[in-house]
Amino acid sequence: MPNRVFTEELFSISSNESQELAANLTEKLADLYRSSPALGRYFSKAEIQAFRNGSVIADYQLTFLMPEEQQDQLRNTTLSREMVFNVFRQFLYDQEGDESGQTYIDPVSLNMFLRH
């Protein structure tokens, strides 16, 4: 989040500044994935794990729920790493020119795993 300045208060996820920023970012991520035609029906929640120095770097977790009988197919197609990343990337492209500043996702920072 290049338009934000990292402060000492952001080191603690329980601080007021962290809580406010986390709530705002969580809402944006949830709205983004809920509104996705491909991913919306599987999206469950977004959670901010931590903030790090950079401009402000947010570590977050997205949770998608998949029907058990379709897990292999969905994991390899609809809920693939590429699809989740591309939905976010399209959102960023759509925001270009927005006066609030750019948000950036590092492609190698996206880690995905299956939980039962």
Side-chain angles (χ1 to χ4, degrees), residues 56-94:
V56 172
I57 299 170
D59 294 327
Y60 62 91
Q61 177 177 319
L62 301 173
T63 303
F64 296 89
L65 302 176
M66 300 181 281
E68 191 144 338
E69 64 278 356
Q70 297 176 336
Q71 282 187 2
D72 288 337
Q73 177 187 359
L74 288 171
R75 185 175 46 247
N76 294 326
T77 57
T78 304
L79 290 172
S80 68
R81 180 184 191 279
E82 291 78 20
M83 179 66 82
V84 173
F85 175 73
N86 286 336
V87 167
F88 193 83
R89 184 171 46 189
Q90 184 61 51
F91 167 75
L92 296 178
Y93 288 150
D94 291 346

Side-chain angles (χ1 to χ4, degrees), residues 12-114:
S12 170
I13 198 67
S14 62
S15 72
N16 288 339
E17 186 176 356
S18 286
Q19 290 293 308
E20 182 181 315
L21 185 56
N24 185 300
L25 185 54
T26 298
E27 182 179 332
K28 286 182 180 183
L29 288 167
D31 288 347
L32 168 66
Y33 284 101
R34 272 191 208 109
S35 66
S36 167
L39 302 176
R41 72 183 114 184
Y42 305 110
F43 179 77
S44 175
K45 64 182 175 179
E47 295 177 278
I48 305 304
Q49 306 291 311
F51 293 109
R52 293 184 281 129
N53 201 351
S55 294
V56 172
I57 299 170
D59 294 327
Y60 62 91
Q61 177 177 319
L62 301 173
T63 303
F64 296 89
L65 302 176
M66 300 181 281
E68 191 144 338
E69 64 278 356
Q70 297 176 336
Q71 282 187 2
D72 288 337
Q73 177 187 359
L74 288 171
R75 185 175 46 247
N76 294 326
T77 57
T78 304
L79 290 172
S80 68
R81 180 184 191 279
E82 291 78 20
M83 179 66 82
V84 173
F85 175 73
N86 286 336
V87 167
F88 193 83
R89 184 171 46 189
Q90 184 61 51
F91 167 75
L92 296 178
Y93 288 150
D94 291 346
Q95 301 303 304
E96 284 184 2
D98 184 348
E99 66 281 347
S100 65
Q102 289 185 320
T103 303
Y104 174 75
I105 185 170
D106 180 358
V108 298
S109 70
L110 181 58
N111 297 313
M112 293 184 65
F113 55 91
L114 178 63

